[in-house]
Amino acid sequence: IGKIGSVRWVSVLWGSMLFLSSVTFGAAQGEAFAWVAAATLGWAIGGNLVLSLQVWPEYFGRKNIGAIIGTAQMVQGIMQAVVPLGLASLLDLTGSYTVLYLTLSAFVFLGLVFLLVVGVLKRPATATPAPATV
């Protein structure tokens, strides 16, 4: 990632794979499409597990990273409990996995847009020490 300059672009790549897999699941018309979508999803989630811990320090620095990640994971845990219930309700209402996966695709796309709009955090320049006087 250091050669690319920012974990942001790798995150965009992995988010795009997640988007592609959710759209493929939504449009799948057969077993082959489902296998392609599942393979892409597995690769995207595997990369996301590593990248998510690298994004936080890049954007917020390392000083308070424990508190930042702890708070974010609390919100993430709540969302992981609530969102599946909402998606199950959507499936019950529509009777279609296509609507469910395309809804997920819309949220992934929105996340990609946010990632592209936010850009890279501009940190203030560090103060240079005053020259020693003799």
Side-chain angles (χ1 to χ4, degrees), residues 2 6 24 29 38 51 61-63 65 72 82 89 98-99 105 110 114 120 125 127:
S6 173
T24 305
Q29 295 298 316
L51 289 171
R62 296 188 181 339
K63 184 176 181 186
I65 197 64
V82 172
S89 297
T98 301
V99 173
S105 299
L110 185 63
F114 284 153
V120 177

Side-chain angles (χ1 to χ4, degrees), residues 11-83:
S11 297
V12 168
L13 172 67
W14 254 256
S16 298
M17 285 192 297
L18 184 59
F19 175 73
L20 177 66
S21 69
S22 60
V23 168
T24 305
F25 268 125
Q29 295 298 316
E31 189 176 318
F33 278 105
W35 279 105
V36 168
T40 308
L41 178 65
W43 198 25
I45 288 177
N48 185 49
L49 293 173
V50 174
L51 289 171
S52 63
L53 294 176
Q54 294 178 351
V55 168
W56 296 108
E58 182 172 314
Y59 278 88
F60 299 107
R62 296 188 181 339
K63 184 176 181 186
N64 298 313
I65 197 64
I68 292 168
I69 289 177
T71 303
Q73 286 185 343
M74 179 189 65
V75 172
Q76 181 181 2
I78 292 168
M79 296 308 284
Q80 286 175 337
V82 172
V83 169

